[in-house]
Amino acid sequence: MFKDRLSKYGIGAAGIGVVIALGMIFVYLFSEVFPLFASTKVETQQTYQAPGIEVGESLEHLIIDRYDELGASFSDTGRITFFDLDGGTVRESFNMPQPEEAEQTTFAKGFATSRSFAYGYDNGQITLGVIDYNISYPDNQRYIEPVLDFPLGDEPLTIDEEGRAISVLGLQSSSRGTYVAAALDDGALQVTSFERNENIMTGAVAIEQTTAELPSFEGTPRQFLIDNRFRHLYVSDDLGYIHHYDIGNLNNPEYRGAVRVTGNGYVSEMAFLNGTVSIIAGTSDGQVRQYFPVRDSQNQHDLTHIRDFARYDSAITHIEAEYARRGFLVGDEAGNLGIHHATASADVYESHKMDGPIARIAISPVNTTALLVDENNRLEVASVSNRHPGISFSSLWRKVWYEGSSEPRYVWQSTAGGDEFEPKMSLMPLTVGTLKAAFYAMLFATPLALMGAIYTAYFMSPKLRGKVKPTIEIMEALPTVILGFLAGLWLAPFIENRLPAIFGILLLMPIAMLLFAYLWSRLPANFRNRIPDGWEAVLLMPVIILVGWACVSASPYVEILFFDGSMRQWLTDNGFSYDQRNALVVGIAMGFAVIPTIFSIAEDAVFNVPKHLTQGSLALGATRWQSVVGVVLPTASIGMFSAVMMGFGRAVGETMIVLMATGNSPIMNFNIFEGMRTLSANIAVELTEAAVGSSHFRVLFLAALTLLAMTFVLNTLAEIVRQRLRKRYGNL
């Protein structure tokens, strides 16, 4: 009684402990995933008059340094004022050099990461500057000193030799040089490139300038955008269009056409996203749309409408892109502020922040502080909590139209070499890859394991069973890293070089076994009776070895006769992609690892079928195979089904074999000749390199949660099926 109670409560406590452990795993994974979907918050910290902007002046531009300590305002008089965000105290002020007897008519800025800007004047000249910061640590305290630099010299640069006034100005500056686009007061459009050349011997600096006239269009230009590769120029107008120019060759700039953004107004604001590929266009009727160039069948780029965001009730007044991701902030005439993300196609925040129009917005390089300025130059300093705007249901599970793609796709590509990269974190290729690997592994393992279990438990002699069953079960102890190593370095090249042999074995081996069985049945009974009952499988071993050797030996000759010397090349020529490490290799290698699990459980289930059932069946005149099909299999079906599901769970969660034998290509297909990337392998590869707390880091935990949830659902469904089978066959 004591032992019974100890077993009862001990096993019960252990079971409860397992349930608690599984629950805690869910809780831990969910705690890491939950911040991905936390709501965005924008909270006003301080409000004061914009420093450096006098009465009657207008604010042209705002920036924040990367430490969220300094802000800078750019007035229309050419004054740049740096101030402490905490309180608005002026730290330093600079005045841009201006041409004599000229008035400022326009202002332009490059993308935020370049920190470049330019003032345009009514005499056809511009002044161009770049903001930089010197950081020192006196008394162990960080001190930021703003610096105004002139990469092309502090003298005004002439854009138009005829001295026509510049009405609209566009600027882009990068390590490749500086480009300036200008609309002149008579409607002419032109683009000018500046290249700074320094003599390494004398240190003398020469500025090379090239100017090209652009074809004009109907309508009045409102804004210019130039990408940082100096390939595309975009011009918005007052008729609701964005005009696209190809300026890759300034000797022959090409007008690529126009797209209509709105039919009920004009394009009131336009901004590049990080990378200067995507354009966010805001209109006078409150629309916010994304465009970027898409390559057509003639290898030309056409500006294409990609997606829309939440519509505003009034005109868009300002759009400010985030520095290192595809997010952006939008302000409108009614004082509403919105935050959106392009890749996620998400409207992550919207709130009424000001009583009047939002004239200017600035966001810090680390996306934690924003500055909002109204039409009266009243400035608000706001803290921003928006850690993971690029993650949404759409970006994780639906097709996304990424920059550079000709259509929406499922893609996993989480990192790259530059800050301009657009992360692609679709879990669909990984989920499909997981199911693909498990499918081919189970396709290889299930028939062999189940049929081997049936034969071993019911037909094989006890002495031979005592050797075979432990041998197969020992296979389960083989480290999967060894199997993956062998699959990647030996099996994959072997299959690639002997593809006809593999398919020959798959087709001829079953035929040879059936043929041998048929011939065996036709031998004289006296001869067959000399072989002890249950030892027939031993006779098949020479047949299996012979057929395998024959297929491998004949493989080169088959390739020469039917596949022009190379079956792999023949597959490629006929439209079948072939990767050396593919699903066929994974199916064989991972099937080899799964077979012992399925075999052991299924064999026990078959062997434990009560003997009186099979004896009764035989006594009633059934053959041994009729007894297996009609009695043994229904009775053992519960255990055999559990064995298959255990094997499937093992295949879904396998890491090392798929990591070393698949090529780790996150693609979306079930082609047996191509590889895949699974959820588990992806976690193993990328988790160690992901920054803790980043979106990439938490999406990997989401992948783990998805894998756990997927196996949990499958096992739950399997348990439901198993219980129904038990109810149906449990009374046998």
Side-chain angles (χ1 to χ4, degrees):
M1 185 178 297
F2 172 76
K3 292 179 180 179
D4 287 346
R5 289 179 178 176
L6 180 63
S7 299
K8 175 182 177 182
Y9 292 110
I11 294 173
I16 294 173
V18 170
V19 173
I20 293 174
L22 288 173
M24 292 303 295
I25 292 174
F26 268 107
V27 170
Y28 172 69
L29 292 177
F30 188 75
S31 69
E32 293 289 350
V33 171
F34 179 76
L36 285 175
F37 306 102
S39 59
T40 300
K41 297 179 181 179
V42 179
E43 298 178 351
T44 300
Q45 304 295 318
Q46 300 181 56
T47 302
Y48 46 79
Q49 199 68 21
I53 308 300
E54 305 295 338
V55 176
E57 297 179 352
S58 62
L59 179 66
E60 298 283 6
H61 184 40
L62 273 176
I63 60 172
I64 307 173
D65 81 292
R66 68 182 302 270
Y67 296 102
D68 291 352
E69 291 184 15
L70 286 182
S73 63
F74 295 70
S75 75
D76 60 351
T77 61
R79 184 172 57 256
I80 305 161
T81 304
F82 291 87
F83 57 92
D84 293 319
L85 294 183
D86 186 10
T89 304
V90 174
R91 176 80 65 85
E92 198 152 358
S93 182
F94 301 96
N95 287 304
M96 286 290 291
Q98 298 187 16
E100 295 182 1
E101 300 181 357
E103 293 186 3
Q104 188 261 351
T105 56
T106 183
F107 177 87
K109 61 183 178 68
F111 190 73
T113 53
S114 70
R115 296 196 294 268
S116 59
F117 62 94
Y119 285 89
Y121 301 96
D122 61 0
N123 66 348
Q125 291 185 313
I126 66 167
T127 54
L128 186 146
V130 173
I131 298 298
D132 203 353
Y133 300 95
N134 292 331
I135 302 175
S136 58
Y137 293 87
D139 301 324
N140 293 323
Q141 297 293 322
R142 181 175 59 235
Y143 181 79
I144 303 174
E145 179 186 4
V147 177
L148 178 59
D149 193 15
F150 302 97
L152 300 180
D154 57 2
E155 294 296 324
L157 302 170
T158 300
I159 296 297
D160 182 54
E161 296 292 344
E162 299 179 15
R164 291 170 290 183
I166 301 174
S167 58
V168 183
L169 190 65
L171 170 69
Q172 192 60 262
S173 182
S174 72
S175 59
R176 298 179 176 90
T178 299
Y179 271 51
V180 175
L184 306 177
D185 59 357
D186 62 355
L189 303 176
Q190 64 182 41
V191 59
T192 303
S193 70
F194 296 92
E195 185 176 351
R196 187 176 186 271
N197 297 312
E198 183 175 352
N199 190 307
I200 60 174
M201 302 297 293
T202 64
V205 175
I207 305 299
E208 182 179 342
Q209 179 175 342
T210 304
T211 300
E213 297 291 332
L214 298 177
S216 60
F217 53 82
E218 183 181 356
T220 303
R222 290 184 53 87
Q223 188 177 353
F224 288 100
L225 289 179
I226 307 171
D227 74 323
N228 61 10
R229 295 170 182 81
F230 308 131
R231 175 70 184 274
H232 303 286
L233 168 66
Y234 306 101
V235 190
S236 62
D237 66 13
D238 59 347
L239 300 178
Y241 288 89
I242 296 178
H243 302 267
H244 178 200
Y245 293 87
D246 186 338
I247 58 172
N249 180 8
L250 278 186
N251 295 322
N252 184 29
E254 180 183 358
Y255 181 72
R256 293 290 303 158
V259 295
R260 190 177 188 92
V261 180
T262 177
N264 301 316
Y266 56 90
V267 180
S268 57
E269 182 69 8
M270 198 168 57
F272 270 130
L273 294 184
N274 180 38
T276 67
V277 175
S278 290
I279 298 172
I280 301 299
T283 66
S284 59
D285 56 348
Q287 296 183 75
V288 180
R289 294 182 157 184
Q290 180 185 2
Y291 297 82
F292 59 67
V294 174
R295 193 184 303 271
D296 61 18
S297 57
Q298 283 75 41
N299 203 30
Q300 297 293 322
H301 290 87
D302 294 320
L303 193 63
T304 304
H305 174 232
I306 304 301
R307 56 179 66 92
D308 291 333
F309 299 92
R311 189 161 184 167
Y312 290 73
D313 295 331
S314 55
I316 305 301
T317 54
H318 192 76
I319 299 174
E320 188 69 17
E322 295 182 334
Y323 279 60
R325 56 193 187 191
R326 297 306 191 276
F328 58 96
L329 291 77
V330 176
D332 72 356
E333 277 190 352
N336 297 311
L337 174 69
I339 302 178
H340 312 269
H341 196 278
T343 306
S345 190
D347 307 307
V348 298
Y349 178 84
E350 185 177 355
S351 177
H352 183 75
K353 300 297 292 183
M354 290 184 165
D355 294 332
I358 297 178
R360 289 288 180 270
I361 303 173
I363 184 71
S364 69
V366 291
N367 305 310
T368 55
T369 301
L371 302 181
L372 312 177
V373 178
D374 64 12
E375 58 182 348
N376 298 316
N377 296 326
R378 190 70 177 167
L379 183 147
E380 285 190 9
V381 181
S383 64
V384 180
S385 176
N386 185 25
R387 296 294 303 277
H388 310 287
I391 306 302
S392 66
F393 180 86
S394 176
S395 65
L396 292 172
W397 299 108
R398 294 178 181 172
K399 287 185 178 181
V400 177
W401 201 336
Y402 299 103
E403 294 175 355
S405 297
S406 58
E407 60 183 1
R409 296 191 300 156
Y410 296 112
V411 181
W412 174 273
Q413 188 182 359
S414 56
T415 56
D419 293 335
E420 297 180 355
F421 170 71
E422 180 182 20
K424 305 169 182 64
M425 297 188 186
S426 173
L427 291 180
M428 283 298 292
L430 307 181
T431 305
V432 170
T434 301
L435 297 176
K436 178 180 177 180
F439 171 76
Y440 285 114
M442 296 301 291
L443 189 65
F444 177 82
T446 302
L448 293 177
L450 291 182
M451 299 214 175
I454 294 170
Y455 180 82
T456 303
Y458 193 76
F459 294 100
M460 189 174 286
S461 68
K463 185 176 181 180
L464 185 58
R465 177 179 180 271
K467 297 181 182 298
V468 171
K469 189 172 188 294
T471 301
I472 296 178
E473 290 177 342
I474 288 175
M475 287 167 51
E476 195 167 11
L478 285 174
T480 55
V481 66
I482 301 299
L483 294 176
F485 179 81
L486 292 174
L489 296 184
W490 173 76
L491 182 61
F494 179 87
I495 291 177
E496 180 185 21
N497 295 326
R498 297 170 179 83
L499 273 173
I502 301 303
F503 290 101
I505 290 172
L506 292 175
L507 293 174
L508 299 179
M509 191 71 73
I511 296 174
M513 294 171 70
L514 291 174
L515 181 61
F516 176 80
Y518 175 77
L519 295 176
W520 176 259
S521 68
R522 289 295 179 263
L523 291 176
N526 292 334
F527 180 81
R528 287 187 282 114
N529 291 335
R530 294 178 184 178
I531 304 300
D533 191 30
W535 285 81
E536 296 86 350
V538 177
L539 300 177
L540 276 175
M541 294 179 63
V543 176
I544 293 172
I545 295 173
L546 180 62
V547 172
W549 173 83
C551 290
V552 172
S553 300
S555 179
Y557 304 103
V558 173
E559 286 191 298
I560 293 173
L561 288 174
F562 298 103
F563 302 107
D564 298 328
S566 174
M567 185 174 179
R568 174 180 178 173
Q569 188 60 45
W570 181 86
L571 289 171
T572 303
D573 294 340
N574 286 274
F576 295 94
S577 299
Y578 186 94
D579 299 329
Q580 185 188 75
R581 300 184 181 187
N582 51 45
L584 179 60
V585 176
V586 172
I588 295 173
M590 195 153 69
F592 189 84
V594 170
I595 281 174
T597 301
I598 302 176
F599 172 85
S600 181
I601 299 173
E603 201 272 348
D604 287 339
V606 175
F607 188 78
N608 290 327
V609 172
K611 298 299 182 184
H612 67 270
L613 294 178
T614 57
Q615 291 171 356
S617 176
L618 294 171
L620 291 173
T623 64
R624 296 181 69 183
W625 270 110
Q626 289 174 330
S627 298
V628 167
V629 174
V631 176
V632 175
L633 291 184
T635 307
S637 59
I638 301 170
M640 296 177 72
F641 182 78
S642 298
V644 172
M645 294 311 301
M646 288 288 289
F648 183 77
R650 168 77 185 275
V652 167
E654 177 55 45
T655 302
M656 294 310 300
I657 294 177
V658 293
L659 183 64
M660 303 174 74
T662 63
N664 284 309
S665 303
I667 54 179
M668 286 276 294
N669 63 46
F670 273 84
N671 184 355
I672 195 172
F673 300 121
E674 291 188 72
M676 78 290 289
R677 178 178 287 195
T678 67
L679 290 165
S680 58
N682 190 68
I683 295 168
V685 168
E686 299 192 5
L687 187 59
T688 55
E689 300 179 359
V692 176
S694 65
S695 297
H696 181 202
F697 178 84
R698 298 196 185 281
V699 168
L700 292 176
F701 273 87
L702 178 60
L705 184 61
T706 300
L707 183 61
L708 189 61
M710 186 167 62
T711 54
F712 179 80
V713 170
L714 289 173
N715 287 333
T716 300
L717 294 175
E719 182 63 18
I720 293 173
V721 174
R722 194 177 72 85
Q723 291 296 336
R724 291 186 177 182
L725 290 174
R726 173 177 290 179
K727 184 181 295 185
R728 181 173 181 178
Y729 299 112
N731 58 353
L732 291 177

Short mmCIF file of all heavy atoms in Angstrom, two decimals, residues 50-51 53 59-64 71-74 81 83 85 107 109 112 318 320 323 359-363 370-374 378-380:
data_model
loop_
_atom_site.label_atom_id
_atom_site.label_comp_id
_atom_site.label_asym_id
_atom_site.label_seq_id
_atom_site.Cartn_x
_atom_site.Cartn_y
_atom_site.Cartn_z
N ALA A 50 10.51 78.24 -30.03
CA ALA A 50 11.66 77.70 -30.74
C ALA A 50 12.83 78.66 -30.66
O ALA A 50 12.74 79.81 -31.12
CB ALA A 50 11.29 77.44 -32.20
N PRO A 51 13.95 78.23 -30.07
CA PRO A 51 15.12 79.13 -29.94
C PRO A 51 15.67 79.51 -31.31
O PRO A 51 15.69 78.71 -32.25
CB PRO A 51 16.13 78.27 -29.16
CG PRO A 51 15.31 77.22 -28.48
CD PRO A 51 14.17 76.94 -29.42
N ILE A 53 14.56 81.64 -33.49
CA ILE A 53 13.59 82.11 -34.49
C ILE A 53 12.94 83.39 -33.97
O ILE A 53 12.17 83.36 -33.00
CB ILE A 53 12.53 81.04 -34.79
CG1 ILE A 53 13.19 79.70 -35.13
CG2 ILE A 53 11.62 81.50 -35.91
CD1 ILE A 53 14.09 79.74 -36.34
N LEU A 59 10.66 79.07 -39.55
CA LEU A 59 11.53 77.93 -39.28
C LEU A 59 11.59 77.04 -40.52
O LEU A 59 10.56 76.59 -41.01
CB LEU A 59 11.01 77.14 -38.07
CG LEU A 59 11.78 75.90 -37.67
CD1 LEU A 59 13.16 76.27 -37.15
CD2 LEU A 59 11.01 75.12 -36.61
N GLU A 60 12.80 76.78 -41.01
CA GLU A 60 12.97 75.96 -42.20
C GLU A 60 13.24 74.49 -41.88
O GLU A 60 12.85 73.60 -42.65
CB GLU A 60 14.14 76.50 -43.05
CG GLU A 60 13.96 77.91 -43.56
CD GLU A 60 13.01 77.97 -44.74
OE1 GLU A 60 12.41 76.94 -45.09
OE2 GLU A 60 12.84 79.06 -45.31
N HIS A 61 13.89 74.23 -40.75
CA HIS A 61 14.36 72.86 -40.51
C HIS A 61 14.69 72.70 -39.04
O HIS A 61 15.03 73.67 -38.34
CB HIS A 61 15.59 72.60 -41.39
CG HIS A 61 16.12 71.20 -41.30
ND1 HIS A 61 15.32 70.09 -41.24
CD2 HIS A 61 17.42 70.73 -41.27
CE1 HIS A 61 16.08 69.01 -41.19
NE2 HIS A 61 17.35 69.38 -41.20
N LEU A 62 14.58 71.44 -38.56
CA LEU A 62 14.93 71.08 -37.18
C LEU A 62 15.72 69.78 -37.19
O LEU A 62 15.44 68.88 -37.99
CB LEU A 62 13.66 70.85 -36.34
CG LEU A 62 12.99 72.02 -35.63
CD1 LEU A 62 11.72 71.53 -34.97
CD2 LEU A 62 13.90 72.66 -34.60
N ILE A 63 16.72 69.66 -36.31
CA ILE A 63 17.42 68.40 -36.13
C ILE A 63 17.70 68.16 -34.66
O ILE A 63 17.64 69.09 -33.83
CB ILE A 63 18.76 68.36 -36.92
CG1 ILE A 63 19.70 69.46 -36.44
CG2 ILE A 63 18.53 68.43 -38.40
CD1 ILE A 63 21.10 69.36 -37.04
N ILE A 64 18.01 66.90 -34.32
CA ILE A 64 18.38 66.50 -32.96
C ILE A 64 19.64 65.67 -33.05
O ILE A 64 19.80 64.86 -33.98
CB ILE A 64 17.26 65.67 -32.29
CG1 ILE A 64 15.92 66.41 -32.35
CG2 ILE A 64 17.60 65.34 -30.85
CD1 ILE A 64 14.75 65.58 -31.85
N GLY A 71 19.26 70.29 -29.84
CA GLY A 71 18.45 70.50 -31.01
C GLY A 71 19.03 71.65 -31.80
O GLY A 71 19.84 72.43 -31.30
N ALA A 72 18.63 71.78 -33.05
CA ALA A 72 19.10 72.89 -33.88
C ALA A 72 17.94 73.38 -34.74
O ALA A 72 17.21 72.58 -35.33
CB ALA A 72 20.27 72.46 -34.76
N SER A 73 17.79 74.70 -34.79
CA SER A 73 16.76 75.32 -35.63
C SER A 73 17.43 76.08 -36.76
O SER A 73 18.48 76.70 -36.58
CB SER A 73 15.89 76.27 -34.79
OG SER A 73 16.68 77.33 -34.27
N PHE A 74 16.83 76.04 -37.93
CA PHE A 74 17.34 76.72 -39.12
C PHE A 74 16.30 77.77 -39.53
O PHE A 74 15.18 77.42 -39.91
CB PHE A 74 17.55 75.73 -40.26
CG PHE A 74 18.61 74.69 -40.01
CD1 PHE A 74 18.41 73.69 -39.07
CD2 PHE A 74 19.80 74.72 -40.71
CE1 PHE A 74 19.38 72.73 -38.84
CE2 PHE A 74 20.78 73.76 -40.49
CZ PHE A 74 20.57 72.76 -39.55
N THR A 81 20.74 77.76 -35.00
CA THR A 81 20.85 77.91 -33.55
C THR A 81 20.77 76.54 -32.89
O THR A 81 19.81 75.79 -33.08
CB THR A 81 19.71 78.80 -33.02
OG1 THR A 81 19.73 80.05 -33.69
CG2 THR A 81 19.85 79.01 -31.52
N PHE A 83 20.54 74.43 -29.36
CA PHE A 83 19.99 74.67 -28.03
C PHE A 83 19.84 73.35 -27.28
O PHE A 83 19.74 72.27 -27.88
CB PHE A 83 18.63 75.37 -28.13
CG PHE A 83 17.61 74.63 -28.95
CD1 PHE A 83 16.72 73.74 -28.35
CD2 PHE A 83 17.53 74.81 -30.32
CE1 PHE A 83 15.78 73.04 -29.10
CE2 PHE A 83 16.60 74.12 -31.08
CZ PHE A 83 15.72 73.24 -30.48
N LEU A 85 17.90 70.66 -25.40
CA LEU A 85 16.50 70.23 -25.42
C LEU A 85 15.84 70.42 -24.07
O LEU A 85 14.65 70.68 -23.99
CB LEU A 85 16.43 68.75 -25.84
CG LEU A 85 16.85 68.42 -27.28
CD1 LEU A 85 16.64 66.94 -27.56
CD2 LEU A 85 16.08 69.26 -28.29
N PHE A 107 14.92 76.73 -49.34
CA PHE A 107 15.78 75.93 -48.46
C PHE A 107 15.62 74.46 -48.85
O PHE A 107 14.54 74.03 -49.29
CB PHE A 107 15.38 76.12 -46.99
CG PHE A 107 16.16 75.29 -46.03
CD1 PHE A 107 17.36 75.74 -45.51
CD2 PHE A 107 15.70 74.05 -45.61
CE1 PHE A 107 18.09 74.97 -44.60
CE2 PHE A 107 16.41 73.27 -44.72
CZ PHE A 107 17.62 73.74 -44.21
N LYS A 109 17.22 70.26 -47.78
CA LYS A 109 18.05 69.43 -46.90
C LYS A 109 18.23 68.06 -47.55
O LYS A 109 17.36 67.57 -48.25
CB LYS A 109 17.40 69.26 -45.52
CG LYS A 109 16.04 68.59 -45.55
CD LYS A 109 15.43 68.54 -44.16
CE LYS A 109 14.04 67.91 -44.16
NZ LYS A 109 14.03 66.49 -44.48
N ALA A 112 18.54 62.77 -43.64
CA ALA A 112 18.97 63.11 -42.29
C ALA A 112 20.36 62.61 -41.95
O ALA A 112 21.12 63.27 -41.24
CB ALA A 112 17.95 62.58 -41.28
N HIS A 318 3.80 68.12 -42.92
CA HIS A 318 5.21 67.73 -42.81
C HIS A 318 5.32 66.21 -42.66
O HIS A 318 4.48 65.58 -42.00
CB HIS A 318 5.88 68.41 -41.62
CG HIS A 318 7.38 68.27 -41.62
ND1 HIS A 318 8.19 69.00 -42.45
CD2 HIS A 318 8.21 67.46 -40.92
CE1 HIS A 318 9.45 68.66 -42.26
NE2 HIS A 318 9.49 67.72 -41.33
N GLU A 320 8.48 63.42 -41.71
CA GLU A 320 9.86 63.24 -41.28
C GLU A 320 10.17 61.76 -41.14
O GLU A 320 9.48 61.04 -40.40
CB GLU A 320 10.11 63.95 -39.94
CG GLU A 320 11.55 63.98 -39.50
CD GLU A 320 12.42 64.89 -40.38
OE1 GLU A 320 11.86 65.74 -41.10
OE2 GLU A 320 13.66 64.75 -40.32
N TYR A 323 15.65 57.57 -38.91
CA TYR A 323 17.01 57.48 -39.43
C TYR A 323 17.36 56.08 -39.95
O TYR A 323 17.91 55.93 -41.02
CB TYR A 323 18.02 57.87 -38.35
CG TYR A 323 18.18 59.37 -38.19
CD1 TYR A 323 17.10 60.18 -37.84
CD2 TYR A 323 19.42 59.97 -38.37
CE1 TYR A 323 17.25 61.54 -37.69
CE2 TYR A 323 19.58 61.34 -38.22
CZ TYR A 323 18.49 62.13 -37.88
OH TYR A 323 18.63 63.48 -37.73
N ALA A 359 3.95 72.52 -38.21
CA ALA A 359 4.77 73.06 -39.30
C ALA A 359 6.03 72.24 -39.54
O ALA A 359 6.44 72.05 -40.70
CB ALA A 359 5.15 74.51 -38.99
N ARG A 360 6.68 71.78 -38.49
CA ARG A 360 7.92 71.02 -38.61
C ARG A 360 7.96 69.91 -37.57
O ARG A 360 7.43 70.05 -36.47
CB ARG A 360 9.15 71.93 -38.43
CG ARG A 360 9.39 72.90 -39.56
CD ARG A 360 9.92 72.18 -40.80
NE ARG A 360 10.16 73.11 -41.90
CZ ARG A 360 9.28 73.45 -42.82
NH1 ARG A 360 8.06 72.94 -42.76
NH2 ARG A 360 9.59 74.29 -43.78
N ILE A 361 8.64 68.81 -37.95
CA ILE A 361 8.85 67.67 -37.05
C ILE A 361 10.30 67.26 -37.14
O ILE A 361 10.90 67.29 -38.22
CB ILE A 361 7.96 66.47 -37.43
CG1 ILE A 361 6.48 66.85 -37.44
CG2 ILE A 361 8.18 65.29 -36.48
CD1 ILE A 361 5.57 65.76 -37.98
N ALA A 362 10.89 66.89 -36.02
CA ALA A 362 12.23 66.30 -36.00
C ALA A 362 12.19 65.06 -35.13
O ALA A 362 11.46 65.01 -34.13
CB ALA A 362 13.26 67.30 -35.46
N ILE A 363 12.96 64.06 -35.50
CA ILE A 363 13.06 62.82 -34.73
C ILE A 363 14.54 62.53 -34.51
O ILE A 363 15.36 62.74 -35.42
CB ILE A 363 12.37 61.64 -35.44
CG1 ILE A 363 12.39 60.38 -34.60
CG2 ILE A 363 12.96 61.40 -36.80
CD1 ILE A 363 11.50 60.41 -33.39
N ALA A 370 11.18 63.44 -30.08
CA ALA A 370 10.64 64.16 -31.24
C ALA A 370 10.43 65.62 -30.88
O ALA A 370 10.14 65.96 -29.72
CB ALA A 370 9.34 63.54 -31.70
N LEU A 371 10.60 66.50 -31.87
CA LEU A 371 10.30 67.92 -31.73
C LEU A 371 9.17 68.26 -32.67
O LEU A 371 9.20 67.90 -33.86
CB LEU A 371 11.53 68.77 -32.05
CG LEU A 371 12.80 68.53 -31.23
CD1 LEU A 371 13.90 69.47 -31.68
CD2 LEU A 371 12.54 68.67 -29.75
N LEU A 372 8.17 68.96 -32.15
CA LEU A 372 7.03 69.41 -32.96
C LEU A 372 6.94 70.92 -32.85
O LEU A 372 7.02 71.48 -31.75
CB LEU A 372 5.73 68.78 -32.45
CG LEU A 372 5.72 67.26 -32.20
CD1 LEU A 372 4.38 66.84 -31.63
CD2 LEU A 372 6.02 66.52 -33.48
N VAL A 373 6.77 71.59 -33.99
CA VAL A 373 6.68 73.04 -34.02
C VAL A 373 5.41 73.44 -34.76
O VAL A 373 5.13 72.91 -35.84
CB VAL A 373 7.92 73.66 -34.70
CG1 VAL A 373 7.79 75.18 -34.77
CG2 VAL A 373 9.18 73.28 -33.95
N ASP A 374 4.66 74.39 -34.18
CA ASP A 374 3.43 74.84 -34.84
C ASP A 374 3.72 76.07 -35.69
O ASP A 374 4.87 76.52 -35.83
CB ASP A 374 2.33 75.10 -33.81
CG ASP A 374 2.67 76.23 -32.85
OD1 ASP A 374 3.66 76.97 -33.11
OD2 ASP A 374 1.98 76.37 -31.83
N ARG A 378 5.99 77.62 -31.85
CA ARG A 378 5.93 77.04 -30.50
C ARG A 378 6.42 75.60 -30.60
O ARG A 378 5.90 74.81 -31.40
CB ARG A 378 4.50 77.08 -29.97
CG ARG A 378 4.36 76.75 -28.50
CD ARG A 378 4.94 77.82 -27.63
NE ARG A 378 4.74 77.51 -26.20
CZ ARG A 378 5.38 78.16 -25.23
NH1 ARG A 378 6.22 79.14 -25.53
NH2 ARG A 378 5.15 77.85 -23.97
N LEU A 379 7.41 75.24 -29.79
CA LEU A 379 8.08 73.94 -29.91
C LEU A 379 7.71 73.03 -28.74
O LEU A 379 7.70 73.47 -27.57
CB LEU A 379 9.59 74.15 -29.97
CG LEU A 379 10.48 72.92 -30.16
CD1 LEU A 379 11.72 73.29 -30.99
CD2 LEU A 379 10.94 72.34 -28.83
N GLU A 380 7.40 71.80 -29.06
CA GLU A 380 7.15 70.77 -28.05
C GLU A 380 8.24 69.71 -28.13
O GLU A 380 8.58 69.23 -29.21
CB GLU A 380 5.79 70.09 -28.27
CG GLU A 380 4.60 70.92 -27.87
CD GLU A 380 3.31 70.11 -27.88
OE1 GLU A 380 3.39 68.88 -28.04
OE2 GLU A 380 2.24 70.73 -27.76
#
